[in-house]
Amino acid sequence: MDIIWLFMIALALIFGLVSGKVDLINQVVINIGKDTFDFVLPLICMTCFWNGMLNVAKEAGLLKKLERLFSPLLRWLFPDIKEDKETLGYIAANITVNLFGLGSAATPVGLKAMNGMQKHNPDPKTATRSMVTFLVLNTAGVTVLSTTLIALRASFHSQDVTGFMPFAILSTFFASFVGLTIDRWWNHHGDR
């Protein structure tokens, strides 16, 4: 992938030099730091805020309540860790954070969930059934409120900040359904 990006950058520079657009190249090089900062700062602030909220939720016992709420579904999806309430709590928190479209804020909780699943792994070099299911669920998870996308669209002054929401809900629901269906089928028929 690095070679592809390097090729694309070199091709763009050569095209800019050949077509006489050196001023445009200079402008991009000068403004790239500011543009990157303006793009990343709102995401960093939102991630810090929601990570703090997750810590408050954990201390308040909300993660345990979420684990109890999602318990029937989680015990069915993750049968080899169904007795590990802490890991199930992290999985429930990850699902909840992903429901609100905070993928970057879900990462720390997802890593804790993976570490919890690794404790039950007989072969540390191979992913367990639960790890694969969690990865499918985390990657294709249903998003009800895409707060990260809303924040990005608002920062770029979109005319209709939430116009994409019905499509996002539908597509993430469909992706989750297909992903979990294939995962369930593979878990029951893949070993044969």
Side-chain angles (χ1 to χ4, degrees), residues 4 11 18-19 24 30 47 50 55 83 85 90 94 106 121 131 134 139 153 163 171 178 180 183 187:
I4 293 171
L11 188 64
V18 169
S19 64
L24 187 61
I30 290 170
T47 301
W50 285 105
N55 284 333
E83 300 305 321
K85 293 192 181 295
Y90 285 130
N94 182 275
N121 190 354
M131 288 176 167
F134 179 67
T139 304
R153 288 171 62 98
S171 62
V178 170
L180 288 174
D183 179 65
N187 281 327

Side-chain angles (χ1 to χ4, degrees), residues 56 77 154:
V56 170
L77 287 174

Side-chain angles (χ1 to χ4, degrees), residues 162-176:
T162 58
F164 70 97
M165 291 292 297
F167 306 107
I169 293 168
L170 186 62
S171 62
T172 57
F173 177 80
F174 184 72
S176 297

